[in-house]
């Protein structure tokens, strides 16, 4: 298989992202699944050029040790990540989220006045093998909970990322299924949060998770990613996320 760069995958998604068929809620795009820092902060980035519930959007998830989780997104909470994870976060903000590619393997993510995050990715033997295996899997297998559970149990140790799950239940009560077809490891990462350095990348003493969604203990970038939510949100939780929204 010929491998193209993370930036090339992102650019293809921006030009050609098309949702798979189905009646469930669906998103397609790319993401930095997460990165823990020695300061105790945690950052994650999502970019979905196609969504079945609203416009394209980008989001940054930020965990502050003293304040918990905040989701910053450039789409309203009920049309973005807080639709599914709002019940587990302290605040949501409707704000600009920037993502600028500095090279084929270099990405800078930002939330004005809050976060600047410089990332460089690399391919390893493990990430290349997992990408190849993901492309060889029949499409229907990605809808089988038992297969997704087995893949998550295998991927976490293989990537030295702690516990990972590709299917489960979100804090707002929906079921999720993730299909990441391409994966890279973060080579270098530097982040400024609230005007100060987040420190070196470093696993958290206790791995972070939001209900059944476990955040990796090392930086992983994924592309050609489809996320499905086979069940809809309980209205009370969806509304709760909307009430927490603020504009920065």
């Amino acid at each position: 298989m010929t491998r193209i760069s993370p930036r090339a995958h992102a650019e293809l998604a921006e030009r050609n992202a098309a949702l798979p068929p189905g009646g469930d809620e669906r998103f397609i795009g790319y993401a930095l699944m997460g990165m823990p820092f020695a300061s105790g902060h945690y950052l994650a980035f999502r970019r979905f050029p196609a969504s079945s519930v609203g416009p394209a959007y980008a989001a940054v998830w930020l965990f502050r040790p003293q304040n918990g989780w905040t989701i910053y997104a450039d789409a309203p909470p009920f049309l973005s990540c807080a639709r599914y994870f709002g019940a587990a976060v302290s605040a949501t903000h409707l704000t600009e989220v920037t993502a600028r590619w500095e090279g084929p393997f270099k990405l800078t993510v930002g939330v004005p006045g809050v976060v600047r995050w410089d990332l460089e990715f690399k391919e390893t033997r493990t990430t290349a093998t997992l990408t190849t295996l993901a492309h060889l899997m029949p499409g229907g297998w990605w809808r089988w909970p038992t297969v997704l559970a087995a893949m998550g149990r295998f991927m976490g140790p293989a990537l030295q990322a702690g516990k990972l799950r590709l299917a489960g239940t979100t804090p707002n009560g929906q079921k999720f299924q993730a299909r990441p077809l391409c994966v890279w490891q973060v080579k270098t990462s530097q982040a400024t949060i609230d005007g100060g350095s987040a420190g070196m990348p470093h696993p958290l003493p206790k791995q972070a998770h939001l209900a059944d969604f476990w955040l990796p203990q090392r930086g992983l970038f994924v592309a050609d990613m489809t996320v499905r939510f086979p069940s809809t949100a309980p209205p009370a939780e969806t509304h709760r996320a909307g009430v927490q929204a603020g504009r920065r």
Side-chain angles (χ1 to χ4, degrees):
M1 176 182 296
T2 301
R3 288 276 275 164
I4 63 175
S5 70
R7 181 178 67 179
H9 275 282
E11 290 172 345
L12 283 171
E14 297 293 343
R15 292 195 304 267
N16 302 322
L19 292 170
D24 48 8
E25 296 183 355
R26 307 173 312 287
F27 300 81
I28 190 165
Y30 50 96
L32 195 292
M33 296 305 297
M35 167 66 74
F37 293 89
S39 62
H41 290 82
Y42 198 101
L43 282 170
F45 167 71
R46 308 284 185 265
R47 169 60 181 166
F48 293 112
S51 162
S52 68
V53 302
Y57 77 91
V60 167
W61 300 10
L62 168 60
F63 178 80
R64 296 178 175 91
Q66 304 304 320
N67 301 106
W69 286 98
T70 300
I71 294 178
Y72 300 90
D74 58 10
F78 59 92
L79 298 178
S80 54
C81 295
R83 182 180 182 90
Y84 310 99
F85 295 91
V89 306
S90 299
T92 62
H93 291 283
L94 178 61
T95 185
E96 181 183 7
V97 176
T98 61
R100 183 175 69 253
W101 289 93
E102 309 288 354
F105 289 82
K106 293 184 177 181
L107 175 66
T108 296
V109 172
V111 177
V114 182
V115 171
R116 178 190 168 96
W117 189 14
D118 297 306
L119 295 147
E120 183 178 5
F121 310 124
K122 68 177 181 179
E123 183 176 80
T124 68
R125 182 176 299 177
T126 300
T127 63
T129 299
L130 289 173
T131 295
T132 299
L133 292 175
H135 281 86
L136 291 174
M137 279 183 55
W141 286 18
W142 292 96
R143 305 295 297 273
W144 294 1
T146 53
V147 173
L148 295 177
M151 290 177 63
R153 288 194 298 268
F154 172 74
M155 288 176 62
L159 293 166
Q160 299 180 347
K163 184 175 182 178
L164 296 179
R165 293 193 66 173
L166 298 180
T169 303
T170 70
N172 285 22
Q174 307 96 327
K175 300 294 184 181
F176 72 88
Q177 296 176 339
R179 187 188 73 164
L181 292 183
C182 301
V183 60
W184 292 264
Q185 185 177 310
V186 173
K187 180 179 180 181
T188 63
S189 173
Q190 295 180 327
T192 300
I193 299 172
D194 300 326
S197 172
M200 296 293 293
H202 192 276
L204 299 180
K206 184 177 181 181
Q207 186 177 359
H209 68 98
L210 301 176
D212 289 338
F213 185 79
W214 289 77
L215 291 139
Q217 287 280 57
R218 74 183 309 170
L220 300 173
F221 180 81
V222 296
D224 289 353
M225 179 176 67
T226 302
V227 183
R228 293 179 179 269
F229 297 89
S231 59
T232 57
E237 296 294 355
T238 301
H239 293 162
R240 175 184 171 184
V243 168
Q244 291 178 332
R247 182 177 293 276
R248 294 187 60 89

